[in-house]
Amino acid sequence: MPKIKIKTKGHYDFIDITDEVAGIVKKSVVKDGVVVVFVAGSTAAITTMEYESGFINDIKETLEKLAPENADYKHHQRWDDRNGAAHIKSALIGADVAVPIEKGELSLGTWQKIVLIDFDEKPREREILISLLKG
Ligand code: ZN
């Protein structure tokens, strides 16, 4: 299974991985089907979005209202760590996206990008698993 490894900084690190995914799709034998992009880990997320600084700020502010990084969470007592907010954001956004493939290309909107977001409170090395399905 193709994988992408990425070093992240945490604390809302937004990384556009569209080109890496498109490259894997191009090299594969699947010309029509779907690609599933999944991040292994419960403090990061994969989504699609417009990748521009204004929107990145907007989504960051929205998520920070929902689950502030500095708030206290029951998870902290359970494991004695400090990334409860990161777990909430990861669970809300989700760990994967599925994108249709047509004629060997990703069927994304004009400004739609596949983006890894790392919410953890420290730098990490993330493994992204790419599943290609014919259909
Ligand atoms: Zn944790």
Side-chain angles (χ1 to χ4, degrees):
M1 176 182 293
K3 289 174 188 163
I4 302 169
K5 282 194 177 168
I6 296 181
K7 284 193 163 67
T8 61
K9 297 192 278 266
H11 297 288
Y12 296 98
D13 198 2
F14 288 75
I15 299 168
D16 179 358
I17 58 168
T18 312
D19 289 348
E20 285 90 338
V21 176
I24 289 168
V25 167
K26 253 197 185 107
K27 276 188 239 153
S28 90
V29 295
V30 178
K31 297 303 161 206
D32 289 281
V34 66
V35 59
V36 179
V37 183
F38 174 87
V39 61
S42 58
T43 53
I46 301 269
T47 190
T48 68
M49 55 181 262
E50 197 167 315
Y51 190 78
E52 59 88 13
S53 57
F55 179 71
I56 288 172
N57 238 32
D58 292 339
I59 192 165
K60 199 172 153 177
E61 279 177 18
T62 304
L63 291 169
E64 195 55 23
K65 281 179 204 155
L66 282 174
E69 282 195 331
N70 292 328
D72 206 12
Y73 298 92
K74 302 230 171 18
H75 176 72
H76 297 166
Q77 295 152 25
R78 180 100 173 87
W79 298 116
D80 199 27
D81 66 9
R82 298 294 307 163
N83 60 3
H87 287 294
I88 291 170
K89 290 161 199 160
S90 168
L92 287 174
I93 294 179
D96 65 291
V97 292
V99 180
I101 301 166
E102 271 188 309
K103 293 175 184 151
E105 306 272 343
L106 295 170
S107 300
L108 291 166
T110 309
W111 303 107
Q112 187 178 21
K113 302 294 182 187
I114 302 168
V115 176
L116 165 72
I117 314 172
D118 202 319
F119 297 112
D120 215 335
E121 96 267 57
K122 56 178 187 277
R124 303 283 302 255
E125 189 177 26
R126 294 297 184 179
E127 191 169 73
I128 296 160
L129 292 83
I130 312 292
S131 303
L132 292 137
L133 307 163
K134 268 190 198 175

